[in-house]
Amino acid sequence: MSLTLRTISREQHLAYIQSLPSASHMQVPAWADVKAEWRSENLGWFDDRTGEMVGAGMVLYRQLPKIKRYLAYLPEGPVINWYAPNLDDWIQPMLAHLKQQGAFSVKMGPPVIIRRWNADTIKRGIQDPDVKRLRDLEADFIEPRAFEVADKLRRMGWQQGEDGGAGFGDVQPRYVYQVPLANRSLEEVHKNFNQLWRRNIKKAEKAGVEVVQGGYQDLAEWQRLYEITAVRDHFRPRPLSYFQRMWTALNTEDPNRMRLYFARHNGVNLSAATMLIVGGHVWYSYGASDNIGREVRPSNAMQWRMLCDAYALGATVYDLRGISDSLDETDHLFGLIQFKVGTGGQAAEYLGEWDFPLNKLLHKALDIYMSRR
């Protein structure tokens, strides 16, 4: 198949995304409005024979300080046929185009999963003192074609980025945790939760925890809980304006793209979460909780409600987003994987992010600049 790449309108891009079973929420046109500090462009790949669009990419451009050269970034994209035998014919026109646009370096995150580990396998790994990381465990599923993709990219001159390493603070997680929903009943999904999760869901129900959906007007309350979480977990929170922009941009594109949930007890909001929806893929994207009321298990109740809602929407996967690959109980990120493993889903490893230095000198300068920040 011979291909042509050209800039497309947001409408064309959105129509293409809507024709697919799903795509990353970072590859919908509205994501460009969320990332307001970047310039953006929508790219389309067309089959020369039929004139039909067969791939799309949302590119974010960030200017280097003081010069008119850009880092071009395709988060969790582009949305193309990654297993095409002629991957070169997809990637080379993109590189040529981005160079023309003034890019000195390209970063992309192929939405390709290499391995999956089931919850039971991970639990065994946690109990085994010799196992320190996910990759020390034999995977339950391996996608051989993913290794071919990695080989092709290396041969083209792409370099594999560090795991969650430098970028503009927006690098995507290489390891995520997902609960598959396709061809399963909700009863099956619930039965697959571990005992602690099932007990906590019941406990919350007994205590009278209610889970409700919020709207734009409730984002200030979301922010209150999120900032409490940031202090407790030692991270720098995003400002309220970011979530307001996210809500407005995503829900203007599709009224069911972003949702907000609260778990409350006796009228007090104890935890909150944002949920994103693109086709059959649903993500739990941000979570927050107060330091009080933990004994009534609001977070478990909220996750179960979100998962049920995702199921009702016909989702094929409920995605709990990033985890670290550490299975060491002394690691500060261990609690995250422990919490998510309780849902009985699977850990999945993506190919990770890849860089192509179009200008080696500027690319190196950016690396040095980022490492000093």
Side-chain angles (χ1 to χ4, degrees):
M1 167 163 57
S2 73
L3 298 161
T4 302
L5 174 103
R6 60 174 182 267
T7 302
I8 54 173
S9 70
R10 285 177 68 140
E11 291 71 30
Q12 278 174 295
H13 187 167
L14 183 60
Y16 180 72
I17 295 287
Q18 285 167 337
S19 76
L20 304 172
S22 96
S24 169
H25 60 276
M26 294 179 199
Q27 280 297 309
V28 300
W31 193 251
D33 302 329
V34 179
K35 298 289 164 193
E37 68 279 21
W38 301 66
R39 176 167 75 82
S40 71
E41 184 184 21
N42 304 289
L43 299 177
W45 280 260
F46 293 84
D47 180 341
D48 290 339
R49 224 185 35 236
T50 62
E52 186 191 358
M53 200 194 310
V54 288
M58 204 272 292
V59 189
L60 297 169
Y61 294 98
R62 172 68 78 91
Q63 193 173 342
L64 261 189
K66 298 189 177 59
I67 57 169
K68 274 200 105 63
R69 299 300 292 279
Y70 304 87
L71 167 73
Y73 182 32
L74 294 98
E76 298 188 359
V79 183
I80 59 173
N81 177 8
W82 284 96
Y83 300 132
N86 60 334
L87 192 58
D88 241 27
D89 299 349
W90 292 79
I91 301 293
Q92 295 308 345
M94 177 181 86
L95 288 174
H97 174 85
L98 297 175
K99 190 172 189 172
Q100 230 176 345
Q101 295 291 310
F104 67 89
S105 185
V106 181
K107 183 185 277 296
M108 66 176 181
V112 173
I113 286 176
I114 317 181
R115 303 179 185 88
R116 292 182 188 275
W117 294 265
N118 293 336
D120 288 344
T121 304
I122 299 168
K123 282 178 209 156
R124 279 199 303 276
I126 290 169
Q127 283 154 9
D128 184 340
D130 295 335
V131 172
K132 293 282 178 255
R133 306 202 158 270
L134 269 177
R135 60 180 72 167
D136 298 340
L137 281 173
E138 198 178 325
D140 293 289
F141 166 82
I142 290 180
E143 174 53 84
R145 295 179 302 171
F147 296 95
E148 287 173 38
V149 173
D151 285 344
K152 283 177 185 169
L153 291 175
R154 275 190 206 97
R155 282 202 296 272
M156 284 181 222
W158 287 84
Q159 300 163 3
Q160 195 157 16
E162 297 298 305
D163 284 357
F168 281 98
D170 275 320
V171 171
Q172 301 318 315
R174 176 146 184 194
Y175 294 89
V176 300
Y177 207 84
Q178 300 177 336
V179 180
L181 301 177
N183 307 318
R184 298 173 75 197
S185 68
L186 262 182
E187 290 71 44
E188 267 174 82
V189 174
H190 185 266
K191 219 166 36 208
N192 243 9
F193 278 23
N194 71 12
Q195 222 179 339
L196 185 65
W197 262 85
R198 291 202 303 269
R199 211 169 42 229
N200 286 344
I201 292 167
K202 212 178 204 150
K203 199 172 189 175
E205 206 178 318
K206 256 201 175 121
V209 171
E210 52 169 346
V211 181
V212 296
Q213 265 183 262
Y216 181 88
Q217 70 287 355
D218 301 302
L219 286 168
E221 173 63 358
W222 147 264
Q223 192 71 17
R224 179 185 75 80
L225 291 167
Y226 173 62
E227 286 179 9
I228 290 171
T229 310
V231 171
R232 184 177 65 237
D233 294 348
H234 313 291
F235 65 84
R236 203 167 78 215
R238 291 187 182 276
L240 173 60
S241 57
Y242 179 82
F243 295 102
Q244 290 172 328
R245 192 164 68 232
M246 195 169 164
W247 183 275
T248 306
L250 296 179
N251 288 335
T252 300
E253 177 175 275
D254 179 332
N256 203 20
R257 184 76 82 219
M258 178 175 175
R259 290 183 177 191
L260 177 62
Y261 287 84
F262 290 99
R264 58 172 65 143
H265 186 242
N266 296 336
V268 179
N269 292 318
L270 298 176
S271 61
T274 59
M275 181 162 117
L276 301 175
I277 301 150
V278 184
H281 202 130
V282 172
W283 294 264
Y284 152 53
S285 67
Y286 283 89
S289 61
D290 206 331
N291 298 325
I292 58 165
R294 297 185 146 211
E295 68 287 348
V296 294
R297 306 297 176 204
S299 294
N300 299 88
M302 183 174 64
Q303 286 296 341
W304 175 237
R305 162 73 190 274
M306 287 164 72
L307 200 148
C308 290
D309 285 2
Y311 189 88
L313 288 166
T316 53
V317 62
Y318 180 69
D319 197 321
L320 291 138
R321 290 294 283 165
I323 50 171
S324 132
D325 74 329
S326 172
L327 299 180
D328 178 355
E329 298 190 18
T330 60
D331 191 302
H332 73 290
L333 290 170
F334 176 74
L336 200 58
I337 190 166
Q338 198 176 29
F339 178 74
K340 294 178 182 183
V341 165
T343 61
Q346 303 169 321
E349 179 190 359
Y350 278 92
L351 260 189
E353 297 204 315
W354 293 69
D355 297 298
F356 194 96
L358 290 164
N359 177 320
K360 290 196 167 62
L361 204 68
L362 285 177
H363 180 81
K364 189 135 192 64
L366 175 78
D367 268 358
I368 293 167
Y369 168 72
M370 291 313 297
S371 66
R372 286 188 183 147
R373 283 179 67 180

